[in-house]
Amino acid sequence: MRPTAIRPTVFRSVLATAAAALLLTSCGSGGTAPEPKGEAGQPDARASSAAPGGLPGISERFRKQIPDDTRQVVAVYGDGADRATATVVLYTKDGDGWKKRADWPAHNGKKGWTPDHHEDDKRSPVGVFTLTDAGGVLADPGPGGLPYTRSDAFAAPRTWAESHWHDFDLVIAIDYNRVKGTAPNDPTRPEGQSKGGSIWLHMDHGSGTSGCVSLSEQGMRHLLRTLEPDQHPVVVMGDRASLRA
């Protein structure tokens, strides 16, 4: 469980403000018309009582990349390599198997998925990534959950379409080309600028992103209240064909 005190954010806010334009272009979209938004998912009460099993649709190649101590998996099943729609499913480990706990409709990069993500390619990276930090404009949904940094520096530029203004009200950083243990909007990219970064789970605006995964506010709040550092959560993400390969 996270301490009740919010992690200090003053220096992060200054850093994030200076780098805001760079960071937000990785995860948002300024002028596209939104597609129809799906209905928010609900926690799957029946799944919680089902017999434990494997992670559906995820190959041994990806399962081997999940750390042994991980007990929470957020799986993002993309509808196609070049499609922007997906489904997010939360699994928890029970004994030697996994149980589905909840699912939500989602969006990913507007051009689909890639195993070799680069800056501004408009595709989401395929792979297994840890989840260690969260934040946003809004207050921490708590109690529990990942370390959370609240800051107005997350706010999407008001030059973007109004439908995108609340994208980053709630954010979970995906640990792709970033430093763990820092606020999601920390601009440091250990593998270099060309590999992109600022890949987040964030609130949905109804259409594809520039590389992030977006879902409903309800879904984001559920994840932020549920994911725990001591459960070592990860996200397994990609189009369905890639995840099965």
Side-chain angles (χ1 to χ4, degrees):
M1 297 293 286
R2 179 176 64 261
T4 55
I6 296 175
R7 189 170 51 196
T9 62
V10 174
F11 79 98
R12 289 176 183 156
S13 296
V14 173
L15 184 62
T17 300
L22 170 65
L23 289 167
L24 295 177
T25 54
S26 298
C27 229
S29 172
T32 56
E35 300 167 6
K37 185 183 297 186
E39 293 295 321
Q42 297 289 340
D44 192 334
R46 292 175 301 173
S48 65
S49 60
L55 292 170
I58 296 176
S59 70
E60 182 68 15
R61 176 169 69 99
F62 287 103
R63 291 198 300 270
K64 286 181 177 179
Q65 297 176 47
I66 300 173
D68 291 340
D69 57 1
T70 290
R71 302 190 67 82
Q72 294 177 320
V73 166
V74 178
V76 184
Y77 298 99
D79 289 337
D82 301 316
R83 296 183 63 183
T85 53
T87 301
V88 170
V89 182
L90 174 63
Y91 296 97
T92 61
K93 198 166 191 179
D94 187 346
D96 294 328
W98 295 91
K99 289 184 180 180
K100 178 181 174 181
R101 299 296 185 179
D103 64 86
W104 303 272
H107 288 93
N108 51 268
K110 63 180 66 176
K111 291 187 177 180
W113 296 89
T114 178
D116 186 24
H117 176 71
H118 284 80
E119 184 81 359
D120 296 327
D121 65 8
K122 310 301 181 186
R123 292 179 180 270
S124 298
V126 175
V128 178
F129 308 100
T130 54
L131 301 171
T132 56
D133 303 280
V137 176
L138 299 179
D140 186 349
L146 303 172
Y148 190 94
T149 301
R150 181 183 185 183
S151 174
D152 290 339
F154 284 97
R158 289 313 189 248
T159 55
W160 289 6
E162 187 174 351
S163 59
H164 295 65
W165 286 1
H166 297 286
D167 283 11
F168 313 132
D169 282 0
L170 298 170
V171 166
I172 298 172
I174 294 171
D175 291 336
Y176 169 87
N177 196 17
R178 69 177 300 269
V179 178
K180 299 178 185 179
T182 63
N185 55 359
D186 186 304
T188 307
R189 295 182 178 178
E191 298 179 44
Q193 192 70 27
S194 66
K195 291 293 290 181
S198 299
I199 304 297
W200 299 341
L201 296 165
H202 67 70
M203 285 169 49
D204 192 49
H205 55 250
S207 62
T209 71
S210 290
C212 294
V213 173
S214 62
L215 60 156
S216 66
E217 179 176 356
Q218 177 196 33
M220 285 299 301
R221 288 185 177 276
H222 185 87
L223 291 177
L224 285 163
R225 289 192 298 265
T226 302
L227 299 178
E228 292 282 354
D230 61 2
Q231 301 298 302
H232 307 284
V234 303
V235 60
V236 183
M237 54 193 280
D239 60 282
R240 292 182 185 273
S242 294
L243 292 179
R244 289 193 302 265

